Amino acid sequence: MNLQELEQIKNRIISEKAMEQDRKSPRITIGMGTCGIKAGAQEVLDEIDSTLGTDRNVIVTHVGCIGLCSYEPVVEVSMPGQPVIMYGEMTPDRVREVIKEHVLGGNPVDKWVLSTRND
């Protein structure tokens, strides 16, 4: 990793923190615990970044173990004013569909929903 890549990461985090404070932006959270990484979470995260690109109004963050190891990789989508949807057994193809339909289109993809909660 070079200085330019670190600067890009820093700027992205600053931007994401600002968006997080107003919570008018969608948020995607991916579990990156050992079990998630083993199940392919890094590839799913890479696809999220690739699909959204750099010009986006979506917060992408990762956490440690979510506690649902048998359903990893697990991705959570939080849309402002809507229940939080947790998706399981994500793959790069599936997360691409979730981004297109849910994050950008506002329609959850029921076939991979593990749970729904109100924050």
Side-chain angles (χ1 to χ4, degrees):
M1 198 169 267
N2 62 37
L3 187 57
Q4 182 181 9
E5 291 170 321
L6 290 171
E7 188 69 29
Q8 288 173 340
I9 291 169
K10 180 185 96 172
N11 290 337
R12 187 184 83 207
I13 290 170
I14 290 170
S15 173
E16 289 171 359
K17 289 289 183 186
M19 284 190 287
E20 183 69 32
Q21 289 176 352
D22 67 22
R23 282 300 293 133
K24 294 177 185 168
S25 300
R27 182 181 65 223
I28 300 172
T29 304
I30 182 165
M32 295 290 289
T34 305
C35 53
I37 293 169
K38 174 76 170 131
Q42 184 62 57
E43 291 81 5
V44 171
L45 179 59
D46 292 344
E47 184 60 36
I48 292 168
D49 286 336
S50 174
T51 300
L52 292 173
T54 56
D55 184 30
R56 63 183 185 212
N57 188 32
V58 178
I59 300 165
V60 178
T61 187
H62 55 84
V63 296
C65 183
I66 293 177
L68 298 169
C69 302
S70 62
Y71 295 102
E72 292 287 358
V74 173
V75 171
E76 201 174 73
V77 175
S78 176
M79 302 292 287
Q82 297 180 13
V84 177
I85 306 287
M86 185 177 290
Y87 293 100
E89 299 177 342
M90 288 286 94
T91 64
D93 289 337
R94 289 178 178 183
V95 83
R96 194 176 316 112
E97 183 176 342
V98 167
I99 290 169
K100 179 183 173 194
E101 297 297 325
H102 188 179
V103 177
L104 302 177
N107 302 307
V109 182
D110 294 335
K111 57 189 167 187
W112 300 307
V113 172
L114 291 178
S115 67
T116 303
R117 74 171 194 279
N118 292 312
D119 276 351

